[in-house]
Amino acid sequence: MADISRRTAIQALAAAGLTPVILRSMPSGPNAEERKGAAGLVLKEIRDGLWWLSDGAYNTMFLVSSQGVIAIDPLPTLGARYLESVSKVTDRPITHVVYSHEHLDHIGAANLFPKSAAIVAQSETAAILRQRQDPRRPPPTTTFGERFVLNVGEQTLHLEYKGVNHSPGNLFIYAPKQRVLMLVDVIYPGYVPYPGLGVAADVPGYIDAHRQALSYDFTEFIGGHVDRIGSRADVERSLEFALDLKRASEEALAEKPFPAFLGEHPEQATGSTWFAHDDYETDRVDRCYKQLIPKWAPILRGAERSLRSHCRTMIVALAIQMPPDRGQSVQKEGRS
Ligand SMILES: [Zn+2]
C-alpha cells in the first residue's frame, strides 16, 4: 500500500510541477531562498552521496550507497516529496530509515516509506514510540543503547546517544567520510532556538550537547530546522548564547531572590503568594531579556520573538534541573 501511495503522490507532484531543485556539491551558505524550487524544496548533495533536503523550515539528510539508501527523519512536512527526492538522484531502494528522535514533526511520514526498510532508533526512542502507538511513526525494528555503526554498501553512518537533551533518545548522527554531523532541535544555525530552548526536555543536557557536538570532526552541521546548513561556528555561537543565557539568568536570580521580591511587593503576598511567584519569574525574565537583547538581536535572528521564552526556560531549569559546576563535570567526562 505504501508503494502505491508513494507512486501516486509522486505522479501528482510531477504533474503539478512541484519537483525539488537539485544542486550537486554547491557551496553552503545562507542564501537557500535563491535556490528554492517551485515547491520550496532544496535538494543538495553535500558530498560523496550525502544529500541535504530542506523546505526552508525543516531539513534532513539521506545517504546514498551502491547497495541502498539510508533515509534520516521521514519529515511529515515533506511526506511523499522526500521519496520523490530520493528517486531523483538514485534508483537504489531505501533500505534503512533512521529516527533522530521520537517527535512527530520530524518522523511523522515514516508510514509512507517502504515497509521493507529497517527502522533504526535509540532504545529510549523505541520505548516512547511503543507507548505512543501512532501508526504514522511505527516502532523501530533495530534499536541500540549508546552506539550503532550503520554500514550500507560503501557508506557508513555513526549513531550515538549521549543522554537526554532536547528529548530522550535524541541522536548524534555522524557521517565520517563526509564529515557531516546531524543533531536535531538543539542548534538552529543563524537563529535563536525555537521557544523554550527548542522545547528542551533537559536544559543541562541541552548545553552539554553543544560541547558533545564540537567533539566531532565535522565541517557541515544539520540541525533539522531553518533554511541553511550550519557550520562549527554556528555550534560555537549557539553554545555562547546558551552560556550567556545561563549566566544572565543566574545573575537575575541572585540579584533578587524570591523573598526579597515578596518584601518589595507585599500587596501581591496578601492576594496570592503563589501568583506572586509567577510575577517574580516574569520580573526576572525581564531582567534577563534586557541584559541579553542588545548583544544577541544583531547576532541571531528571532531574538526579539523568543528570548523571553528562553530566559524563562533557563530560570526554571536553574530552579529544578541545573547541577552546580556543570561545566567542570563535562570537562572531566571529556578527559576520561
Ligand atoms: Zn523534537
Side-chain angles (χ1 to χ4, degrees):
M1 196 173 111
D3 283 343
I4 293 168
S5 61
R6 172 192 163 179
R7 202 174 304 127
T8 307
I10 290 171
Q11 284 165 352
L13 287 163
L18 298 178
T19 51
V21 168
I22 302 175
L23 299 145
R24 286 182 186 269
S25 300
M26 284 184 65
S28 60
N31 301 319
E33 281 182 10
E34 294 170 14
R35 310 194 300 260
K36 280 179 187 168
L41 271 191
V42 176
L43 174 59
K44 174 188 164 183
E45 185 174 20
I46 298 174
R47 69 183 64 85
D48 296 331
L50 185 66
W51 291 79
W52 182 65
L53 182 59
S54 170
D55 63 11
Y58 282 84
N59 60 58
T60 188
M61 62 186 194
F62 62 87
L63 185 55
V64 177
S65 83
S66 57
Q67 301 300 309
V69 178
I70 305 169
I72 301 160
D73 278 3
L75 292 169
T77 54
L78 302 183
R81 293 186 295 166
Y82 193 141
L83 300 166
E84 195 238 6
S85 298
V86 172
S87 64
K88 283 271 175 191
V89 301
T90 180
D91 59 2
R92 299 289 87 198
I94 294 172
T95 54
H96 297 79
V97 174
V98 174
Y99 292 165
S100 64
H101 64 306
E102 67 98 1
H103 287 165
L104 181 63
D105 65 325
H106 289 271
I107 65 167
N111 60 326
L112 300 181
F113 280 57
K115 299 274 184 289
S116 56
I119 301 178
V120 186
Q122 203 273 339
S123 53
E124 291 190 40
T125 298
I128 296 167
L129 287 173
R130 278 196 295 274
Q131 272 189 305
R132 300 276 188 248
Q133 302 221 348
D134 183 344
R136 296 167 295 181
R137 39 184 170 160
T141 55
T142 303
T143 63
F144 63 95
E146 292 184 0
R147 190 161 196 269
F148 188 81
V149 177
L150 185 52
N151 290 304
V152 180
E154 70 284 13
Q155 298 284 22
T156 299
L157 215 51
H158 294 180
L159 310 177
E160 293 181 314
Y161 182 55
K162 297 172 185 296
V164 184
N165 44 57
H166 163 69
S167 72
N170 198 25
L171 290 180
F172 291 79
I173 301 166
Y174 180 56
K177 187 164 80 172
Q178 292 81 2
R179 295 176 70 212
V180 174
L181 178 67
M182 180 168 177
L183 171 68
V184 173
D185 284 344
V186 174
I187 293 138
Y188 297 69
Y191 291 76
V192 292
Y194 183 78
L197 293 176
V199 199
D202 187 285
V203 172
Y206 160 84
I207 295 173
D208 288 351
H210 290 76
R211 299 185 176 106
Q212 291 156 346
L214 290 167
S215 74
Y216 287 85
D217 176 20
F218 71 93
T219 49
E220 281 86 3
F221 176 83
I222 311 299
H225 286 288
V226 312
D227 54 0
R228 69 168 170 86
I229 292 170
S231 64
R232 290 191 74 86
D234 287 309
V235 179
E236 288 163 355
R237 202 169 293 123
S238 181
L239 175 60
E240 186 187 345
F241 170 75
L243 294 178
D244 252 12
L245 180 70
K246 179 168 176 279
R247 202 174 306 118
S249 301
E250 285 169 340
E251 286 170 11
L253 293 175
E255 178 190 76
K256 191 184 291 181
F258 181 49
F261 180 84
L262 272 183
E264 287 177 15
H265 303 271
E267 73 285 357
Q268 280 159 326
T270 58
S272 165
T273 310
W274 177 232
F275 289 155
H277 190 267
D278 187 48
D279 292 340
Y280 167 67
E281 282 190 346
T282 300
D283 182 74
R284 296 297 83 198
V285 164
D286 202 46
R287 161 78 163 74
C288 165
Y289 178 87
K290 283 178 178 153
Q291 183 175 334
L292 294 180
I293 197 69
K295 174 179 174 182
W296 286 101
I299 298 174
L300 293 178
R301 297 174 73 182
E304 292 92 345
R305 287 171 181 262
S306 63
L307 181 55
R308 284 179 196 280
S309 162
H310 302 313
C311 287
R312 186 173 290 274
T313 297
M314 185 60 77
I315 283 170
V316 171
L318 286 166
I320 67 172
Q321 289 180 337
M322 198 70 72
D325 301 321
R326 188 73 194 182
Q328 282 181 12
S329 69
V330 169
Q331 280 173 8
K332 269 186 219 147
E333 284 163 24
R335 279 200 298 270
S336 64

